[in-house]
Structures are given as C-alpha cells and as structure tokens.
Amino acid sequence: MGSSVRELAAATPGTRDRYIDLLRVASLGTVVFGHWLMAAVTGDGIGNLLAVVPELQVVTWALQIMPVFFFVGGFSHALSYRSLRRKQAGGSVYAAFLRARLQRLLRPTMVFILVWGAAALVVQLLGGDGGLTGVALRLVAQPLWFIGIYLAMVAFTPPLLALHERYGWGAFGALVAAAALVDTLRFALGVPFVEFLNFAFVWLAVHQLGFLRADGRIRVPAALAAVGLAGAAALVALGPYPLSMVGMPGEKVSNMAPPTLALLCHGLWLVGAVELLKGPGTRFVGRARVWRTVVAANGMAMTAFLWHLTAMLGVYGAMLALGVTLPEPATGAWWAQVPPRIVAAVAVTALLVAVFRTFERPAPTAPGSGSGGPVAALGITLCLLGVLGLSMVGFGGMLEGRSAVLVAVRVTAPAAVAMALGGWLLVERAGRAARA
C-alpha cells in the first residue's frame, strides 16, 4: 500500500490544487476528533460534554468545521462536472456524473448500512437491544445525516452550477436571502415546517461558495470571514439562536437541525478563514511527505468517518466489560482518561479501515452517452431519503416498526435501508448504462 500511495503522490499533476485535498482531510479529521472528545459515556447512558460544561460550547465555532467539507465539495463538483461536459459536448452527463462522484461515497456507506443492519437484527433477536446497546444502535447511524446532505449537493450540482455560471455571486446571494426568509417565517411568524427548507438553502449556499472558489471569485477572503463572524455573533447575541454550532440534547432551537442563518454565517467565516490560510497551507502540503500523508488519508477518509463512532463505542464497551471505572464527565479523572481513550479509538478505527477500505476504491469511469438521467435522479432521491431517514431512526427496533419523522413522513429503519440500497443500485445502473 505504501508504494501505491507513493506512486499516486508522485503522479499528481502540478495543476492540482493540493490545498483542497488538505482541507478535505482536515475537516473530516476535526469532526471525528470532536465526536470522540464530546462523547460523555457513563454506566447510565451517553451524554454530551457540551451539555455538562456549557461554557465549552464556544469551541464549536472552531470544531464545527463541516461547512468547510461542503465548500470543498462544491469546488470539486464544479471541476468534475465541467470536465465530463467538455469530454461529451452536446449530451447529458448527469448519470455518469452522479456515479463518478458517488462511488467512493455510496459503496462504503452501503456496506456500513448492511453490516450494522445485520448486526442490529442479530442483537434484537437475542434480546440485547436495550440499555446502552439500544442507544449505541441509534448513535452509530447519526453521521449518516452528513451523507444525505452531501447526496443532495451532488444531485443539485448541474442546475446550481448553471445558475452560478450565469449570475455568479447573485446565485449565492439568492440562497442566503432564501435562508434568511425561512428563519424570518420560522421565528417571527411561527410558520410550521418551513424551517426544514434550510436543510437545502443553508448547505447549498456553502456549496455554492465552492463554485465561486473554482472560478477564482473569492478575492477578499478577509471580508468574507469578517462578515460571517460578525453576522453569527450578532444573531447569537440578539436573536433566538443558541451559542453552540452543533446540536445539543433537549434544546428548543438548534443551529444544526434544521440549519439556521447563524450556521450559514458561521460557514462564511470558516470559508473566509481557510482561504486566508491558502498560501501557507499550499506550501505546507507541497512538501513530499505531507502530500503523501494527505493522499493516503484521502483514500480512506470516508471509511474512517463512517466507522469512527463504532470504534469509540467499542472502546467504551470494552472498558465497561473490563470493569474500568467511567468517571463523571468533565471531572479531573475524566479528562485524564481522554488521551488513552482517543488513542484506543484511533487504533480500533484503523482496524476497521483495514477491513472495509477496499469498498472506497472506485471503479474506472468514463464519459456518459447522454442516457440514464431520470433513473439516476430517482436513484439519488431514494438514496438521500433512505440515508437521512436512517440517520434519524437508527438501527434499533428493526423488528418493532420503530420510526422517526423525516420532514412530514414517518420512516422505519427497514424502509430506510430499502430506500438507500435501492437508490444506490439505480444510480449504479444508470451510470453504467451511460458509460455503455
């Protein structure tokens, strides 16, 4: 494996923006570290360190870095779609684009769903899905929300890229205005269910910033960072928005679910900040050893993200099985356990990556023939709904019909699994037909 990474790193063209690859790895790594750090597990259940020590919620303004990943996605999707469009002038490339962009995302995700779905069935049949095990079966599915949002971004890339190419910053501004209108209707007028629209408007606005970066239109990143930081601070200080940029248990208003205008402003300041660091970041990743590390990490980043909570819960489960005392969160003894717990979680994640990373390696792709677009659109819609539904209901209660509300529709775990797998197969079929 080391030789292949070395060869890939050596074959990297000089025109590649390596800083974008560094941002992708760093953003996912920060999210993983944040989850490991914030989990507060005791013999009675699983809590959140930020709820135990509310003063620490300010750190989410640095650790909630998922907007950077979506920004990077916008940049990469713009380049990928334009490349396919150039290779096949005059025809639709939608199905081939979806398959090319989603292989390394959906293949490891479907394996994760199948493995955990089967494990959940076995656990329930054996009657062991209560207590901490039941909580774990729900918790391991939560990162799938990110996969669902990313699927929507890929699905909407062609029309939103067309709007960007016509209106530039105007297309981004329209999404920001739509997000602000949704929050106004939600908080000022009390319109029900309207807040769910911001799952699209907020995250697609951040994604749109990636298009702008691809065209070199983010010329004053300091201004973007300043406006975003000032806007987020003002909204939190004066409005109904909480301090935390991640979801908190029991809170009436969350900046994350659904996303708010405050989270969008947070995304603006993060994008501006990473763009300000582009110079030194590019020089850093230009070092041969650093670049090889980034190449290796990018080849397994999604697998590690999918399984990192499984690793963390495995570590806690082993501690409980061995009779290791789990101190009260935020105490001195708890903080003393943090470094060895994280080291152990890294080790278990590495083992899981070694087992499952092969599914993250994509098959070769080629320009499409212009067919398969409607099938691909149906497939990605089903996959998106299934993955988002599973992130909400979890793997627990597979045989009991336990459900969760996805926007206004109740979804059970078996139905979510079926939609996710069926949608993935449709995307694969349409993509292959487009290449034939």
Side-chain angles (χ1 to χ4, degrees), residues 395-411:
F395 292 101
M398 295 279 284
L399 302 177
E400 299 170 356
R402 184 182 298 163
S403 64
V405 177
L406 177 61
V407 186
V409 179
R410 286 206 164 269
V411 179

Side-chain angles (χ1 to χ4, degrees), residues 203-238:
W203 291 125
L204 289 177
V206 175
H207 189 247
Q208 203 82 4
L209 286 172
F211 296 166
L212 291 161
R213 196 219 192 249
D215 288 348
R217 296 195 185 187
I218 303 180
R219 298 188 180 94
V220 190
L224 190 66
V227 169
L229 188 58
L235 289 171
V236 169
L238 304 175

Side-chain angles (χ1 to χ4, degrees), residues 41 80 187 207 309 410:
V41 179
S80 176
F187 294 120
H207 189 247
L309 285 184
R410 286 206 164 269

